Each structure stands twice: as C-alpha cells, then as structure tokens.
Amino acid sequence: MEQHPPGMTRKDFLKLSVAAGAGLAIGASGLGAILNLNGKPANKASAESNDDAIPLYGAHQPGIVTPPQTYLYLASFRVTSKSKADLAGMFKDWTRFCDLSMAGGTMRTGDNPLVPPSDTGETLDLPPSKLTVTFGFGPSFFLDEGKDRFGIARLAPKHLKDIPRMARDHLDPSISGGDICLQVCANDQQVAFHAIRNLIRLSTGIASLNWMQEGFASGKPGTTPRNLFGFKDGTANALHDSPDGYDRVVWADEGEPDWLRGGSYLAYRKIRMKLESWDRTSLADQEDTFGRHKVSGAAYGAKGEFDPVDLSSQPVNAHVHLAKQTKQQMHRRAYSYTDKVDPRTGNVDAGLLFISYQRNPDEQFIRMLRLMQSKDALNEYVDHVASAMFACPTGLREGTYIGQNILEG
Amino acid sequence: MKKTFLNVLALAGVMALAACGNDANEADSGNGATTAASATASAQASASAQASSSASAAPGAIQDGSAKLLEETRKLQDAIDKQDAEDVKALGKSINDIWLSYENAVRQSFPLEYTDVEKYEMPIFSASAYDKIDYAALKANAASLIDAVTALQNAKPSAANASELLAKAVEKYQSYVSEQMDLLAAQTQSFVDAVKAGNADQAKLDYAQARIYYERIEPIAESFGDLDPKIDARLADVDDPNAWTGFHRIEKALWADNSLAGQDKYADQLMTDVKELQKQAQGYELEPKAMVAGAMELLNEAATSKITGEEELYSHIDLVDLAANVEGSKTVYLAIIPALNESHDDLAVKLDEAFQSMEQSLAGFVKDGQYISYTELTTDQIRQISDQLSVLSNLMSQTAAIL
C-alpha cells in the first residue's frame, strides 16, 4: 500500500483495482458487509482527527442543527423506478457516497482508462469543508396521486403534506415539492456541488431531478447571518439553542412513525425579494417593516439583538410582531440566492431560501406562514415563488442506509 | 508517515469507492483489504454461479422456448397472409412475451444466434404498437425469424476466447456498417433526384429515410475528416454560412424557405460526398475500441442535439434521428454480447432492459407509421426520453471494460 506524507486528507485516496466484472456483480446484494467495513474506519478517522468533517452517523441527521455552512444546494427528486429494490439500491449508494465524501474521501477516479471515472474529481485536493447531506421525504414519496407505490403509505408522517395555499402565493410547481429532498451544505461551494452532482449521477434510472437551488449565507462566526435586505435572519434560534430546546422545537417524537422520531420536518419557501424597491426605501421604513433596528438587530424597544421583544413597541404589521404573536418557535436555517436578470426590467432575481426545521409544522410553521402572508408588512417587497415540505428521518446508525427504516419498516 | 486504510465499495454501475482517513491503523487497513477482496471473490462466485445455472438450465428452456416461438411465428405468417391486423398485433405481443421468457438463457449460451433472433423479433413486436402495418416488411421479418429460431435450435455452444469474440464482434458490426452505407447511398440518390426534379413532397419523404441510415452509423462518418461536416453540418456549426452544404442545407430549403430553387448544386455535392463516404468506409479497418466508443457517441448525440430538437431545426424529425442513434448503438451492443458474456453478463442484462424500455417508449411516439414531430412532444415526454437515454448511456459507458 502507498504511504502518503502527513497533512493530507483527500490526497490520501488510494487507487484500488477491483477484479474486472466485480463492480456490477457486487451491486446491492453484497452491500451489508461492505457498508459495515466502510462505515467504521472512515468515520472514526474523520471524527478523531479532522475537525473539518461532520459525522454522518448519530442520533440526528447532520445539517439540521449544525451551524449553517456557507453554501447550500437544495435538490428535489421524483422517483421514476417502480422497483422497491432498485430504490433501496439508490439509497444504499447515496449512503455510501455520503459516508465517504463527508469524511473527505472520493470515489475511484479511474483504474480503467477505457471507462469513465467513478468520481468526477473536482474535490480531489479539497478538505471535507464541513460537508453535510440531509435527506427528506415529501408527501408524494408515501402516496403519489393516491398510489402507494412502495407499500409505505402506512408509514407516512402525521403532519406531512404540501404547504396549503396561502394568500399572495406565486408558486411555480416546477420548482416546488418532490418525492425526495437533499440538502447539501459545505463551507466550500465546490465541495457542496461535487456532492450534489455525484448524488444526481448515482440516481440515474431510479430518480429524476426535479429542481435544484443553490444558496449562500455568510456571517462572522458566532453572529446571526444577514439576509439580502441587510437584516439579521434567525435571531430567534438562540431561544432554543440547547439539547432540551431542540427536543422542544426541532425533533419529532410522539405520535410519529419510528423512523421520524428524532427527525424533523423541513419547510421550504423560495421567497423572491424585490431588492430594487427595497433599496429605494428609507431606513426608517425598512426598520418599521421588520420591527427591528437594521445594524444592531435589536427589536424596537430593546437594546440588544437577543433581548426579549416587547410587542407594544412594534408596528402591528411588522415582521417580528407577527412572528412573536404566534408564540411559536422554529429552527431557522435560511440561505440567500441569486438567479437571473429579468430582461424586461433589468431587475435581479434574488432573495431568500427560507428553510425551517420543526417537530410539528401545523402548529409551528403553517399558522405563522398564514398570518405572515396575509398581514406582513414585508409582503410589499417579497413574492413566494416555490414551496415544499419534507420529513427528514432520524439519525443514521452505522451499517444502515438512509430510508431503510421506511422501506423495510 | 501517516497510516492509511482503504475502503472498497462498489456502486451499482461499476462504481467503486476509495477513501483514506488519517489515523486508521494497520489492522484496519489489513481488515479492509481482506473484506474487500472477499467481497470481490464472492461477487465473482455469485456471477459464475448465475452463469453456470443458466447454462445448465438452458438447453431445456431454449428448446421449449424456441418450439413455442416457431409455432407462434407460423401463426403470425398466416395472419400476415390474411392481412388480419388484429391478429398480427396480438401475435406480435405474444411472440415478444415468449422471447422475453427465455432470451436471457439464449444470450448466455448462444450469443451469436441471440443477436439474429433479436434483430428480427424486435420489429415484429414494434409493429404491434403501430397503428399502420407494413405487411410486406413484416412478412420478410417473420420468414427471417423462422430461420433465426431454427438456427438457434441447432446451435452448438461456442468455444471462442475473448479476443476472438471481439474480432467477431467487429466483423459483424462492419458488415452492418457497409449495409447501412449502401442503403444511405441509394436513399440519398433518391432524395437528390427528387430535389433536382423539384418534387418537394417526395424529397421530404426521402430526406427522413436517408437520415435514418446516416444517423445509425454517424461515428463512422466522423472518422473521415471533413466528410461529416460537409454532409451533416447545421447552420450553427459552420464558420461561413455561405460555405454550408449537406442534408441540413436542403432541409432548410424544403421546410423553412419552401423553395428548392438553387438547390441542385447542394444536391449534387451531397451525392458526391455520400459516395466518397461509402468508398472510404469500405477500406476502413475498425478497431474494437472505436466501435465501442462509437456506440457511446451515438447515445451522446441523441442525448444532446436530438433530445433538444437542435438537429432537425426545420423538419423537426429529431425523433427519427434519435431512434436511429439508439438503433446504431444497439447494433454495437448486440455485436459485443459474446464478449460481454465473458465477464460482464450483468451489464448485458441491464443493457437489454434499458434498450427494451427505450424502444417501447419510442414506439409510443409513432403515428401513422412515422415518428411524430419534435414540436408535438411535451416537456414531460422529452424528459422521459432523456432520462431513459441517461440510463442507457451510463450502462453503455461501462462496456469499454471488455476491451
């Protein structure tokens, strides 16, 4: 075996040769033993020696209460295969890929020059960059237009449904919903894209990509990131930043199928922000719209960002006022996005990828959304253009694959 | 020095993973190697067990299946003679069911005979999906199918080694190429004649037909310098629009300009270039590598310029081209089955399934015996074809492992 100099992570990859023909033959059937083999050492090594890597395995999925990384890819898939075994095969492949890439490894890059390399190769010299992949399942995964494709409808979560119609919705169905969701985050965009790209490759023939959205979020470590309106976004996360708090706000439990207990519901809204009109709005109006001071992030009537909000000091339709009125908490994990230019107006299509995790979206999310979309002063500056809800399973144990407790549940 | 360990993981479609951590110890690495090696060994064992079981089960299954297939094909011949469309369609389906029930065993044991049965069986099944039946073509196919199945009944297992198998594959494919070249030359002549006679309706029919023969073997044409661009360039491909020649130049005249005025010189040039292509292809020594790469190229072509409707910008017969690309690619697959059987029989099974589902899906777009226009396809339909092409291309990209 080759020995590598110290200080290398991804560069340490070995070129291995598998006897010709074995690759296909191993397929899904030989997976059990291989997965165990892979899971242990890869993870132990990364957890002990590399603080740039986030473990795939644990009580909860990574990427939910993990401090937000800088880059996001959110992708939605439609399952096209009718075979449950093939679907399980894809989840096994995805699990193995995540196990490998979150620890900083890559797939093989070419033992046989006559066939395409297994790995696309753009992360060969890059560290894991806190890569996380979080999996979620949409309502249509369990029941697709009334059809129980995989005999799993009985395992559907209690609160999983498409987000109901709201006032002022401008939703584009081609970038909304889906059977399966992958949230890929990393501090290096190339690492994040490498992961989603190869996960898409591994889905060929089993699932078809519906839509993919990239996002970014930046803030000094320990501070709340700001959205493109320049306001802090996610201040209220501090209220539940403890294991107890996460149990109360994020992790689904009683009344849910086993596979979801310890998991969470992901609510997604793509919210286009009318940056051009916002930027022509006075500072006073901007602050009235949010009910917070722009620079400090403090609510009206308060001094610091994290001070309690006094509703009586707030304009009635201010964003923060409405949010607090519902007395509900959720875990925010938002990113910003930029897309194209509208050729008619020259305006940039940009905005917020609202992502929140909660244990009960009916109570914690939908009520608040309804209130916001009917009354929020921000509505003048935003359009909701895409929407989705996914149920994200509990954490993964080594030797198991994502979705196993649903497909074999 | 850091210690390393390794993981071997195989992903569906011959993907294998390798990773290293920093602090794993020697025991880990030894363990990993052993387990990986044993996984490989067991995978090979299971593959060979599968192969031997199908071989031992084969003779009975193949004789039974072939007897049924012959009986059903004779019924089909009767139905063709009576021009009974309903019976012909029903028999097309039942013939396909019988073939599917034992074709895997045939592919394993008698790959050469398999290819012939597949070649004549497929159009018979396809005809069952079409609304219009070409009885003359079907009659010829049915007769050839009887011969192919009879040959299968009398076949002896081949004992050729890997390089002999590949050489045979190339030989087989080369005869296909020269057959398609001849058809292309004849059809182009007919097209050119119609253009020069100013008969636009006939020219349009001939155009679609000629494109099929070209698109089936396009990578071969691309081996001969500037012949492919002269014959097949699109307006967007050329440096100087005034120097643009070939099929698409006349396509524009026929469908966009609605005038054949001034097209004689392009027609003559096209005929000259196609004849030159035919001549050069005759003396061309094809390498196995180029043949397999060509099959991949055909699918890539289909998945890029055909699926987007860019190839046939004026006539919109992109589905005709796409289906021809798939056919050309499948011919390579059929030719290399004996070589695939040697070490990649799983890949052959998967390719067979992928080609079948692609063909079935394409057959759904035939109306009045012809592929519908690209402009009639919905985005969802295009996406469905594109997804199927991806599956096919992924699998086909692995076939070079036999070389």
Side-chain angles (χ1 to χ4, degrees):
Chain A
M1 195 183 300
E2 260 181 278
Q3 294 279 306
H4 295 275
M8 301 179 87
T9 52
R10 273 179 200 266
K11 276 185 185 166
D12 285 352
F13 79 97
L14 295 178
K15 286 183 179 170
L16 303 174
S17 60
V18 171
L24 267 176
I26 290 172
S29 57
L31 183 101
I34 294 166
L35 195 61
N36 282 326
L37 154 77
N38 178 56
K40 275 183 190 159
N43 219 39
K44 203 196 288 169
S46 62
E48 286 170 7
S49 67
N50 198 341
D51 56 8
D52 198 35
I54 292 176
L56 171 62
Y57 304 103
H60 307 291
Q61 281 200 72
I64 297 177
V65 298
T66 308
Q69 302 95 317
T70 315
Y71 296 99
L72 162 85
Y73 282 92
L74 193 67
S76 149
F77 295 80
R78 184 175 73 254
V79 177
T80 50
S81 171
K82 292 184 181 75
S83 153
K84 195 170 175 177
D86 287 353
L87 183 60
M90 179 184 76
F91 287 137
K92 288 168 187 175
D93 290 346
W94 275 0
T95 307
R96 283 179 285 184
F97 176 80
C98 293
D99 179 287
L100 190 65
S101 55
M102 284 173 60
T106 60
M107 293 186 284
R108 291 164 57 190
T109 49
D111 300 318
N112 183 348
L114 298 175
V115 299
S118 294
D119 200 284
T120 54
E122 67 269 37
T123 58
L124 283 173
D125 312 309
L126 295 172
S129 310
K130 294 208 188 307
L131 173 70
T132 58
V133 181
T134 313
F135 297 83
F137 299 102
S140 53
F141 184 71
F142 298 92
L143 206 57
D144 182 35
E145 292 175 354
K147 261 197 356 222
D148 185 3
R149 290 177 290 177
F150 303 108
I152 52 174
R154 67 197 162 79
L155 292 170
K158 207 158 98 184
H159 302 289
L160 183 63
K161 55 172 183 275
D162 289 327
I163 296 169
R165 181 196 169 274
M166 300 282 156
R168 297 186 175 84
D169 268 355
H170 290 91
L171 303 184
D172 176 351
S174 73
I175 51 171
S176 296
D179 295 342
I180 304 172
C181 166
L182 299 183
Q183 176 199 271
V184 176
C185 299
N187 283 335
D188 183 316
Q189 189 170 15
Q190 190 152 315
V191 170
F193 183 70
H194 170 262
I196 193 65
R197 173 186 183 187
N198 283 279
L199 288 162
I200 293 167
R201 288 175 74 215
L202 291 170
S203 75
T204 306
I206 314 291
S208 189
L209 183 66
N210 285 328
W211 50 265
M212 182 176 86
Q213 180 67 55
E214 61 177 77
F216 56 92
S218 194
K220 231 163 65 187
T223 65
T224 312
R226 290 175 187 271
N227 61 33
L228 296 182
F229 283 159
F231 279 75
K232 295 186 181 230
D233 205 309
T235 297
N237 279 353
L239 296 174
H240 59 262
D241 186 15
S242 66
D244 282 357
Y246 291 138
D247 282 345
R248 203 175 63 242
V249 173
V250 179
W251 308 125
D253 196 353
E254 267 133 60
E256 294 290 3
D258 283 350
W259 64 266
L260 186 58
R261 298 176 73 162
S264 192
Y265 288 93
L266 183 167
Y268 166 66
R269 305 285 280 183
K270 180 175 179 179
I271 303 172
R272 180 172 181 179
M273 293 170 154
K274 298 167 187 168
L275 297 185
E276 290 77 5
S277 21
W278 179 259
D279 294 345
R280 293 188 280 261
T281 301
S282 73
L283 176 62
D285 282 352
Q286 289 187 1
E287 292 188 333
D288 284 351
T289 304
F290 274 93
R292 278 188 193 279
H293 295 292
K294 191 166 188 175
V295 176
S296 67
Y300 276 15
K303 275 196 168 152
E305 179 193 350
F306 299 103
D307 292 351
V309 176
D310 169 19
L311 287 187
S312 67
S313 327
Q314 294 268 335
V316 286
N317 286 341
H319 185 69
V320 169
H321 186 150
L322 294 172
K324 294 294 171 188
Q325 207 178 308
T326 60
K327 298 196 166 56
Q328 292 295 336
Q329 289 181 45
M330 60 178 68
H331 186 71
R332 301 282 316 278
R333 214 170 183 285
Y335 284 83
S336 295
Y337 78 88
T338 54
D339 280 348
K340 292 178 187 163
V341 174
D342 184 334
R344 298 162 305 180
T345 60
N347 291 346
V348 176
D349 178 2
L352 186 76
L353 306 172
F354 173 98
I355 294 171
S356 71
Y357 286 96
Q358 49 273 309
R359 68 201 306 268
N360 179 345
D362 286 328
E363 268 179 18
Q364 294 167 271
F365 172 72
I366 289 175
R367 274 190 216 164
M368 186 218 63
L369 183 70
R370 185 162 281 131
L371 186 67
M372 293 289 188
Q373 287 204 231
S374 72
K375 295 206 173 128
D376 194 348
L378 258 180
N379 287 335
E380 197 183 330
Y381 303 99
V382 299
D383 270 330
H384 289 233
V385 294
S387 174
M389 176 129 59
F390 301 101
C392 305
T394 186
L396 201 59
R397 269 185 303 115
E398 289 179 39
T400 62
Y401 64 90
I402 198 79
Q404 184 169 8
N405 39 18
I406 302 174
L407 293 186
E408 300 173 17
Chain B
M1 285 300 242
K2 239 162 230 192
K3 287 168 184 160
T4 52
F5 71 90
L6 56 87
N7 302 308
V8 178
L9 295 167
L11 295 180
V14 208
M15 291 205 158
L17 313 177
C20 286
N22 297 331
D23 289 336
N25 58 32
E26 293 284 13
D28 272 344
S29 82
N31 190 20
T34 314
T35 316
S38 66
T40 304
S42 75
Q44 281 175 331
S46 86
S48 61
Q50 196 187 342
S52 63
S53 75
S54 61
S56 61
I62 292 175
Q63 291 306 330
D64 288 356
S66 298
K68 279 190 213 151
L69 196 54
L70 276 183
E71 195 189 321
E72 207 72 356
T73 310
R74 294 213 172 90
K75 283 189 207 158
L76 175 72
Q77 288 181 312
D78 288 347
I80 293 170
D81 287 343
K82 290 181 195 142
Q83 304 225 340
D84 183 334
E86 215 165 288
D87 270 9
V88 165
K89 287 182 180 187
L91 286 161
K93 287 199 183 85
S94 60
I95 285 172
N96 192 54
D97 289 342
I98 296 169
W99 176 233
L100 290 186
S101 73
Y102 80 109
E103 64 153 351
N104 282 354
V106 177
R107 191 174 49 236
Q108 279 288 336
S109 308
F110 305 109
L112 297 172
E113 289 76 11
Y114 170 88
T115 308
D116 281 342
V117 177
E118 179 81 8
K119 181 172 163 187
Y120 300 114
E121 188 275 339
M122 193 56 220
I124 289 173
F125 173 57
S126 297
S128 68
Y130 299 162
D131 42 10
K132 214 166 120 187
I133 294 170
D134 181 347
Y135 286 103
L138 212 51
K139 189 172 178 153
N141 264 315
S144 301
L145 182 59
I146 297 267
D147 292 346
V149 178
T150 310
L152 172 60
Q153 284 180 313
N154 302 318
K156 301 270 178 297
S158 132
N161 66 29
S163 65
E164 285 168 358
L165 291 173
L166 262 184
K168 265 200 184 132
V170 174
E171 198 182 305
K172 203 163 180 147
Y173 181 66
Q174 261 183 322
S175 74
Y176 171 78
V177 171
S178 85
E179 177 191 292
Q180 296 302 310
M181 283 291 177
D182 294 347
L183 289 166
L184 172 67
Q187 192 64 47
T188 306
Q189 187 64 62
S190 166
F191 172 60
V192 162
D193 292 347
V195 169
K196 291 173 76 173
N199 186 344
D201 290 343
Q202 186 59 42
K204 285 180 177 179
L205 292 175
D206 285 330
Y207 176 82
Q209 196 59 38
R211 297 293 299 158
I212 295 175
Y213 304 128
Y214 192 78
E215 291 293 338
R216 279 177 183 164
I217 51 163
E218 185 170 1
I220 300 290
E222 287 170 359
S223 317
F224 306 114
D226 61 351
L227 274 176
D228 175 60
K230 281 167 87 174
I231 296 170
D232 194 37
R234 295 162 301 179
L235 178 55
D237 299 330
V238 297
D239 291 335
D240 174 8
N242 295 320
W244 180 32
T245 62
F247 276 118
H248 295 301
R249 177 66 196 83
I250 307 174
E251 180 204 1
K252 179 169 179 286
L254 280 167
W255 275 276
D257 306 338
N258 292 311
S259 159
L260 285 170
Q263 295 300 307
D264 285 18
K265 60 175 177 180
Y266 298 120
D268 288 336
Q269 183 64 46
L270 177 64
M271 199 61 240
T272 309
D273 293 337
V274 166
K275 278 187 175 150
E276 178 61 24
L277 175 65
Q278 186 188 19
K279 199 176 107 196
Q280 292 204 23
Q282 271 166 5
Y284 186 55
E285 280 284 322
L286 192 60
E287 293 289 325
K289 217 173 176 172
M291 176 181 76
V292 172
M296 196 60 229
E297 257 172 66
L298 281 166
L299 293 177
N300 278 340
E301 272 275 327
T304 52
S305 62
K306 312 311 182 332
I307 197 68
T308 52
E310 289 163 34
E311 179 77 17
E312 301 287 354
L313 206 51
Y314 315 104
S315 62
H316 304 301
I317 60 160
D318 301 272
L319 275 183
V320 173
D321 294 13
L322 191 148
N325 286 160
V326 171
E327 283 164 22
S329 188
K330 187 182 178 183
T331 308
V332 175
Y333 152 69
L334 290 174
I336 62 173
I337 285 175
L340 281 175
N341 279 351
E342 286 289 288
S343 53
H344 295 77
D345 51 341
D346 272 36
L347 187 54
V349 173
K350 288 186 173 177
L351 270 165
D352 189 61
E353 285 170 7
F355 273 114
Q356 255 174 50
S357 79
M358 184 83 245
E359 282 160 352
Q360 274 182 27
S361 152
L362 285 174
F365 299 112
V366 173
K367 214 159 84 186
D368 298 330
Q370 283 178 341
Y371 282 107
I372 59 171
S373 161
Y374 182 82
T375 52
E376 287 178 53
L377 292 172
T378 66
T379 307
D380 283 350
Q381 287 170 331
I382 295 169
R383 178 61 182 266
Q384 184 203 331
I385 300 170
S386 176
D387 281 352
Q388 285 175 317
L389 279 173
S390 302
V391 173
L392 208 45
S393 313
N394 260 12
L395 292 169
M396 193 57 94
S397 73
Q398 302 298 335
T399 57
I402 61 171
L403 299 171

